[in-house]
Amino acid sequence: MVDAVCGAPVDEATVTALAERTGGNPFYVWESARLLASEGALVAVSDVPQGVRDVLRRRLALLPPDARSVLQLVAVAGLEADVSLLVDAADMDEDSVLAGLDAAVAADLLSEPGPGRVRFVHALVRDTVYTDLSGIRRSRLHDRIARELRHHRPEDVAALAHHFARSGRTANAEPAVEYALRAAETAERRYAHDVAVDLIQQALDTHAAATPDPDPDRTVALLERLLGAQVRCGATDAARRTRQRAIGLAVRAGRDDLAAAVYGAGTEPSPWRSRLEGFYDRAALARLERLSRDHTLDGPTRARVLQVLVDAVAAEDAPRALEAARILLELARADGEPRLLASALMTSARLLPHEVQGSARTPLVDELRRLARQHDLPAYRWVCEHLDSMTAATRNDPAAVRRHTAEGLRLAHRYRMLWAQGINLATSAMLAAVAGRFDEAEAGYAQADGLFQRVGTHHATGPRTLGLWTIRLTQGRAAEIEPAVRELHAAVGAPVAVAHALVLARLGRLDEARDVPYPPRPVTDHLYGVELDYRCQLAVLQRDFDTAAMLITDVLPVREQFAGTAGAAYATRPLAHALADLYRLVGEEQAAADAYALAERVALAWGAGHHAAAARRAAAELSTRPARRRTFTT
C-alpha cells in the first residue's frame, strides 16, 4: 500500500516504522503513506497525518471527561504504562482512574498487553493525545509521574531523566541531569552507545536551559561525556563539533587542564580518521604540542593528549607521530590502566611504517588481544582482528584477511558496533574488487556507506566514493568519475589532488593534470598504497623521469604488496606492476621484467586473474622491444 501511494518502492526501514506506528490499520497506513509522499520519511514516522488526527479527535471527544483525563496521563507516561503508576500519579481516586481506563479500552484506544498494564493500540493515538495537551498541562503531568517514579521505581533512571527534564521545574534540572547520566552509563554497559549519546545530549540541554551562566567545569565535563559516547558510537562528525565546542569553552576560560581533558575524551576505538576530514589547523596543532609537553598534567591525561597529537600529525609528519606514540606507550605502561594501555597499543600498531608492518605489528597486537580479553574490552578485540587482517594483507594472504574480517564482523554485530561493521564491509568489498567481482564490490561499498551514514561518521561518503574510483580506474572508465573527482577535489583540496590529476591524465588531458598541485610526498594513512600507485601511474603517463626515480625508491620496500590492501579498505593493483612501469620508463628493462613477474605472482596469490593477465601482457610487450637504458640521477 505504501509503495502504491508513493508511486515507487519505499525502503524497508521506513515501511517497518509506519507499520509499527499504525498497527497495520489500513486507513492509518494510507494517510501515513500520503504524508510520506508529500513530506518525506522524517515527517511521516514522527507526525500524525491530519486526516488521522481529525478522526481520532472525534473518537476522543466521545469519551467521558475522566476517561480523557486518564488518557492524557497515559500519553505523558508513554506508549505503555503501569496502572499502579497511573493511579498514584492521577489527581482523582482509584475507581475513577480504573473507570476511565475501562472506557478507553472499550473504545479501542487502549489495549491490555499484560496484567496491570495498558498500551495505546497505535502510536498515532498516543501522539495525537500528547500533542493536543497544552505545554502547561503536559509539564505538570510529567512532574507528577517523575515524583511517583522516584518514590516507587528509583531504578528506572531513563524514565526519571525523561520526566524530570520535561517537568518544567528549575529545581528538577539537576536530578534530570544526574538521572540522564546514570541512564547513559547503563546504556554504554549494554553497548547501546547511540542511546547513551541521546541521554547525555538530553542532560546537556537540560543543564543549559536551567543555567543561564553555566559553570565551564560542569559544561565541559558534560561535553567530555558526550564526546566519548559519540566516538564510541562512531558519530565522528558530531564528535568533532562537540570537541570544538568544548575546546572553545576551555580556551575562553584560560583552562589548559580542561582543554587537555577534552582532547583525552575521544580516544576510544572508532572509524579511522580519514584524509577527507582535512588536516588539523595550525592553532590546534600548536595547542596539542604545548599540552603534550606539559608535565604538570597527570600521566593518563598527558598520554591521551599525545594520542590525539599522533592522529593529528601522522599523515603529515610521520617521525613526530612515531615519537609521540613512543612516549604515549611509555606513559600508558607506567599507569597500567587497561583502556589507556589498550589505546596506546592500538595507536602504535596502526602507526608502523608500511614496509615493516607485518613483522613489527604482531607482538603489539598479541599484547593488545590478551589485554582486551582479560579486561573485557570488545572494541579492542575487534581492533585486533582488523589489525591482523591488515597484517595478513601485507603478506599476500587473502584467506587470512577474509578470516579476520569475518571474526571482526561477528564481534561488531554482537556488540552493536555499526562503525566497525562498516569497516568490515568495506574490507569485504575491497576483496571482491581485487578478485574482479566489481558489481559485488560496488554493492559492498554502498552498504558500508549506509552504515556510516546511520551513525554519522564524518567520512560517510568515503567507501562509496573512493571505492567506486578504484573500481572505475581499474576498469578503464575514468571519464565516468571525472565530474565527481573534480567536485570533491574542489571541496577538500590536497587529500584527493593526486587522484584528480591521474583521472585527467588517463583522459589524455596531460596539461591539465600537470596544473593540479599536490604534496610532494604521499600521505601515510590507510590510502598510502593506493596513492603511491596513482603517483606511479602519473609519472609514467607524464614521462616524468625525475619523479619516477624518486618513486622507485618509495616502492621498492613495499613492492611485494598489493597496493592499498594493507589499509583494508581500497585496492588498485600489485605495486610490483607500478614498479615495473617505472623501471620501463627509465630504461631498466631487466628490472622491469623481474618486477612484472613479481606482479603476476602477487596477483595470482590474491586470485586477481585480470591483474595477472595485465602483468603478463606488459612483460610480453617489453620482451618484444629492443633493449634500451636511460641514465638518470637520484
Side-chain angles (χ1 to χ4, degrees):
M1 185 184 291
V2 172
D3 289 351
V5 172
C6 293
V10 175
D11 67 275
E12 184 179 349
T14 300
V15 175
T16 300
L18 292 181
E20 291 174 351
R21 282 180 60 75
T22 63
N25 179 293
F27 172 67
Y28 296 167
V29 172
W30 181 268
E31 290 294 314
S32 296
R34 290 177 60 195
L35 187 62
L36 172 65
S38 62
E39 301 293 337
L42 185 62
V43 174
V45 300
S46 58
D47 285 3
V48 180
Q50 189 59 48
V52 174
R53 193 183 298 274
D54 291 341
V55 170
L56 289 174
R57 282 171 174 164
R58 287 195 291 271
R59 291 177 61 190
L60 291 166
L62 298 175
L63 293 174
D66 282 356
R68 288 199 297 273
S69 295
V70 171
L71 209 56
Q72 290 170 348
L73 188 61
V74 179
V76 170
L79 191 62
E80 188 173 325
D82 285 330
V83 172
S84 58
L85 174 66
L86 299 173
V87 169
D88 290 337
D91 59 353
M92 60 184 74
D93 62 75
E94 181 176 352
D95 286 340
S96 298
V97 172
L98 297 177
L101 293 174
D102 285 342
V105 170
D108 200 27
L109 296 169
L110 292 179
S111 64
E112 298 178 88
R117 296 190 67 78
V118 291
R119 179 183 176 88
F120 282 100
V121 292
H122 309 297
L124 296 176
V125 180
R126 187 260 174 182
D127 289 355
T128 298
V129 176
Y130 187 79
T131 55
D132 280 353
L133 285 168
S134 68
I136 295 172
R137 181 173 289 275
R138 192 183 301 150
S139 62
R140 291 295 295 162
L141 294 177
H142 275 298
D143 185 55
R144 284 188 202 164
I145 291 174
R147 285 187 278 112
E148 293 302 328
L149 280 174
R150 180 184 245 177
H151 180 65
H152 295 292
R153 284 164 43 194
E155 76 285 352
D156 196 350
V157 289
L160 283 162
H162 173 82
H163 292 296
F164 270 122
R166 289 158 179 78
S167 67
R169 291 180 182 269
T170 303
N172 286 341
E174 195 54 34
V177 170
E178 290 305 319
Y179 282 125
L181 294 178
R182 287 171 57 188
E185 289 175 359
T186 301
E188 296 238 63
R189 285 196 297 271
R190 295 170 179 168
Y191 309 105
H193 300 301
D194 53 340
V195 175
V197 167
D198 291 340
L199 287 164
I200 299 169
Q201 184 64 62
Q202 176 183 307
L204 191 60
D205 293 343
T206 302
H207 174 70
T211 315
D213 187 20
D215 171 30
D217 286 89
R218 179 60 164 159
T219 304
V220 170
L222 290 172
L223 287 170
E224 284 178 43
R225 294 282 296 272
L226 178 62
L227 172 59
Q230 288 169 333
V231 168
R232 287 184 286 276
C233 183
T236 56
D237 193 18
R240 196 180 70 259
R241 292 194 300 270
T242 298
R243 181 158 68 184
Q244 289 172 344
R245 179 181 171 191
I247 290 294
L249 285 172
V251 170
R252 286 193 294 276
R255 297 281 300 278
D256 276 357
D257 59 327
L258 289 181
V262 171
Y263 281 125
T267 54
E268 293 288 326
S270 73
W272 301 157
R273 178 175 171 80
S274 168
R275 63 172 66 189
L276 296 188
E277 298 179 46
F279 302 123
Y280 279 73
D281 62 77
R282 297 299 114 185
L285 279 176
R287 187 183 307 116
L288 280 168
E289 284 284 9
R290 178 167 51 80
L291 291 172
S292 72
R293 294 190 295 267
D294 186 350
H295 291 269
T296 66
L297 298 174
D298 62 79
T301 300
R302 184 167 167 243
R304 292 188 172 94
V305 170
L306 281 161
Q307 181 172 343
V308 179
L309 178 62
V310 170
D311 288 340
V313 302
E316 297 181 273
D317 188 353
R320 178 67 186 103
L322 286 167
E323 174 62 12
R326 182 189 64 78
I327 300 172
L328 159 63
L329 190 53
E330 286 181 359
L331 290 171
R333 290 195 191 284
D335 181 74
E337 199 281 317
R339 284 187 178 276
L340 181 61
L341 180 54
S343 183
L345 289 166
M346 174 190 73
T347 299
S348 290
R350 284 168 50 186
L351 196 64
L352 290 169
H354 288 263
E355 59 270 22
V356 300
Q357 285 176 350
S359 58
R361 180 183 282 155
T362 301
L364 293 169
V365 175
D366 288 346
E367 183 180 357
L368 177 57
R369 181 176 282 108
R370 290 192 297 271
L371 188 71
R373 286 175 176 167
Q374 181 182 354
H375 296 280
D376 190 23
L377 306 175
Y380 288 103
R381 288 171 58 194
W382 177 89
V383 165
C384 290
E385 297 301 328
H386 188 65
L387 290 171
D388 277 346
S389 74
M390 296 165 75
T391 299
T394 67
R395 295 169 175 164
N396 294 318
D397 187 353
V401 175
R402 285 190 289 272
R403 185 172 65 252
H404 290 298
T405 299
E407 178 59 18
L409 195 57
R410 185 190 70 80
L411 289 168
H413 279 296
R414 180 176 181 180
Y415 295 103
R416 301 177 61 180
M417 297 182 290
L418 292 183
W419 57 267
Q421 293 176 38
I423 292 175
N424 288 141
L425 288 173
T427 303
S428 297
M430 177 197 77
L431 289 168
V434 167
R437 302 192 304 273
F438 297 122
D439 289 344
E440 178 187 334
E442 287 188 47
Y445 282 128
Q447 191 177 359
D449 241 14
L451 286 173
F452 283 147
Q453 289 169 1
R454 279 178 61 186
V455 299
T457 299
H458 179 59
H459 50 95
T461 55
R464 177 175 290 169
T465 300
L466 300 183
L468 185 63
W469 292 4
T470 59
I471 291 169
R472 291 291 178 265
L473 286 169
T474 299
Q475 294 173 322
R477 297 160 60 181
E480 297 177 25
I481 60 173
E482 189 276 333
V485 176
R486 175 171 19 94
E487 182 179 344
L488 189 58
H489 182 210
V492 305
V496 295
V498 172
H500 188 198
L502 176 60
V503 168
L504 293 172
R506 284 279 200 97
L507 296 175
R509 295 154 60 178
L510 294 176
D511 289 340
E512 292 180 62
R514 290 188 184 94
D515 289 338
V516 176
Y518 50 83
R521 306 297 300 165
V523 176
T524 55
D525 63 0
H526 66 297
L527 295 175
Y528 175 78
V530 172
E531 183 179 337
L532 194 57
D533 179 31
Y534 285 177
R535 285 172 180 258
C536 293
Q537 293 183 47
L538 262 175
V540 171
L541 289 168
Q542 295 173 337
R543 299 192 61 78
D544 185 343
F545 296 99
D546 291 335
T547 299
M550 179 183 70
L551 286 168
I552 287 172
T553 303
D554 288 339
V555 177
L556 275 171
V558 291
R559 63 188 179 278
E560 295 186 357
Q561 295 185 17
F562 198 112
T565 57
Y570 316 102
T572 56
R573 61 177 180 168
L575 279 168
H577 197 135
L579 180 63
D581 288 347
L582 295 174
Y583 277 137
R584 184 172 175 178
L585 175 66
V586 301
E588 297 284 347
E589 300 201 349
Q590 183 55 54
D594 293 342
Y596 282 133
L598 175 59
E600 182 181 358
R601 292 196 298 274
V602 171
L604 291 174
W606 283 89
H610 54 304
H611 286 296
R616 284 195 298 272
R617 286 194 301 271
E621 180 184 340
L622 179 66
S623 67
T624 62
R625 295 178 55 183
R628 66 187 182 88
R629 185 182 186 91
R630 177 186 175 88
T631 302
F632 61 94
T633 304
T634 59

